[in-house]
Every structure is written in C-alpha cells, then in structure tokens.
Amino acid sequence: MFSGKCNRPYAISMPGHIKRMIKALTLKSKTVFLIDSVGAALTAILLIAVLKPFHEIFGMPRETLTLLSIVASLLAIYSFSCFVFSDNNRQKLLRTIIVANIAYCILTAGLVIYFYNSLTILGLTYFVGEILIISVLVYIELKIVKANRQNISK
C-alpha cells in the first residue's frame, strides 16, 4: 500500500538541496559570478547562433534578437569580470548582477508581450523558459546576499 512517503535513500529534498547549494556558493562567493557569466554567454550564443538564423521559427524579429544578445553579452562580460577581478565588495557586485538580471527578465517579458502575436509556440517556450531560469538564478543570488549579510552581522 502506498503511504505517501518516499522510502528511497537517494531521494533529494529540494529545499535542503537548495540550502546546501546556497551555503556552498556563500562560502565560495566568486563561483556565482562564474555561473552567471556562463549562463549569460550561453544565452547570447543561443540568441545569435540559433534563434537569429531561424527567427521565423521562433517569431521574434532579428533586430530584437540582436539587441537581446548584445545585452546578454554585456552581462556575461560584467559577471566574468567580477569573477576574475573581485576581491572586495562582492556583495555590492552581486546586487548589481541581480538588478541587471531582473532588468533583463523585464525587458524580455516586455518584448514577449509586444511581439506576442508573431511569436510561435517554440519562441514563447524559449523566452518563458529563459525568464524562469534567470528568475531561479536571481532567487539563489538573493539568498546568497542574505546569507552573507547574516554572516557579516554575526
């Protein structure tokens, strides 16, 4: 009979898993800059190498994809610079990245709304997925900032 409990020893509790990941990233706070830069670079590459040549399949205009790829490239460069050069004031740099990621999500959401009638299901899925992934990253980054603030005040 099914009891509703998971008896598998390898089952992962998502909240605990996220807490451990945040704790690890808090201890090695430079790593979050690398993760952010790789994600932004991947976004820029996908926009230029996949979405732009096949813009008809996604329904987003080429010029808009170019704009988004430039913004993503700038975010990747900034995040990577923070990873390489930041020794002090990482909290402030991370807050800047959080604001930039939120702004990118708002920009993307605005463009999705503006071009909604021309977007295909594939295009809508890509952009909503991108917004969701970045939102999860922002959530983790906010938790890292909060954890670091609590560690500083102790």
Side-chain angles (χ1 to χ4, degrees):
M1 194 88 203
F2 181 70
S3 66
K5 293 184 180 178
C6 182
N7 294 324
R8 297 174 294 187
Y10 55 85
I12 297 173
S13 169
M14 198 58 167
H17 180 69
I18 290 174
K19 286 178 185 177
R20 285 190 300 278
M21 181 175 57
I22 291 168
K23 186 174 181 179
L25 288 172
T26 302
L27 295 173
K28 295 185 177 194
S29 59
K30 281 184 87 165
T31 306
V32 76
F33 296 122
L34 181 62
I35 292 168
D36 201 275
S37 68
V38 168
L42 181 60
T43 293
I45 291 167
L46 284 171
L47 289 167
I48 288 296
V50 178
L51 275 74
K52 190 173 177 182
F54 303 106
H55 67 95
E56 308 89 15
I57 296 172
F58 295 94
M60 188 68 82
R62 293 170 60 92
E63 300 79 18
T64 305
L65 295 170
T66 300
L67 169 71
L68 287 172
S69 67
I70 290 169
V71 174
S73 297
L74 292 173
L75 292 174
I77 291 167
Y78 179 77
S79 295
F80 190 72
S81 297
C82 291
F83 172 72
V84 173
F85 300 114
S86 73
D87 287 329
N88 302 334
N89 215 3
R90 289 189 192 140
Q91 288 287 94
K92 185 176 180 182
L93 296 172
L94 188 54
R95 281 191 220 110
T96 302
I97 289 173
I98 290 168
V99 170
N101 282 337
I102 292 170
Y104 182 85
C105 286
I106 291 169
L107 173 65
T108 303
L111 292 169
V112 165
I113 292 167
Y114 187 78
F115 292 109
Y116 182 78
N117 291 331
S118 65
L119 286 178
T120 64
I121 294 295
L122 190 58
L124 189 61
T125 302
Y126 172 83
F127 289 109
V128 169
E130 183 178 73
I131 291 168
L132 289 173
I133 290 168
I134 295 170
S135 296
V136 168
L137 181 61
V138 166
Y139 172 79
I140 292 168
E141 289 169 343
L142 285 168
K143 291 293 186 182
I144 292 168
V145 167
K146 182 179 177 184
N148 282 333
R149 191 178 319 128
Q150 289 173 347
N151 288 341
I152 290 170
S153 64
K154 287 184 180 179

